[in-house]
Amino acid sequence: MGEKKDQMPFTRENYLLMLGGIALLVIGYLVMSADKTEFGFGFMGLTFGPILVFLAFMVPFVAIFFNKKKSKNQRDEMAMKKEAEKTNR
């Protein structure tokens, strides 16, 4: 079967990026609703707000695929642990 992983799939940075995306989404919708021109046809309602909302929907995708690079020492330790598990079987 598959190997059991000791780590969670998402780190603190992933969750913070997700929360940032949600905050940006709320800000984008607030910007669109704050446009004072008739029917929201001004710059904020038609251009700036939708750009913010689009970026807000892209941030969670980045958060899902974000993977912090491990240092060489951490990679060496992981490799040693895997080798030790193989020899113990």
Side-chain angles (χ1 to χ4, degrees):
M1 298 255 189
E3 292 183 20
K4 186 177 179 182
K5 292 186 178 182
D6 294 336
Q7 295 181 352
M8 298 279 290
F10 294 132
T11 61
R12 183 173 188 258
E13 289 85 13
N14 295 96
Y15 289 115
L16 288 175
L17 282 171
M18 287 280 201
L19 288 175
I22 292 170
L24 192 61
L25 186 68
V26 169
I27 291 169
Y29 280 118
L30 288 174
V31 166
M32 283 193 292
S33 67
D35 195 2
K36 299 295 181 194
T37 60
E38 187 175 0
F39 303 115
F41 288 149
F43 172 75
M44 289 175 56
L46 286 179
T47 306
F48 188 61
I51 289 172
L52 283 179
V53 171
F54 177 75
L55 291 175
F57 279 113
M58 294 297 115
V59 169
F61 289 112
V62 172
I64 290 170
F65 293 113
F66 179 75
N67 190 5
K68 190 174 183 180
K69 300 285 183 190
K70 294 183 179 179
S71 68
K72 186 175 188 261
N73 291 337
Q74 290 175 333
R75 287 190 302 246
D76 291 342
E77 288 176 14
M78 294 291 287
M80 288 174 53
K81 284 182 184 178
K82 286 182 181 179
E83 287 178 24
E85 287 178 1
K86 287 179 183 177
T87 58
N88 289 337
R89 288 185 186 179

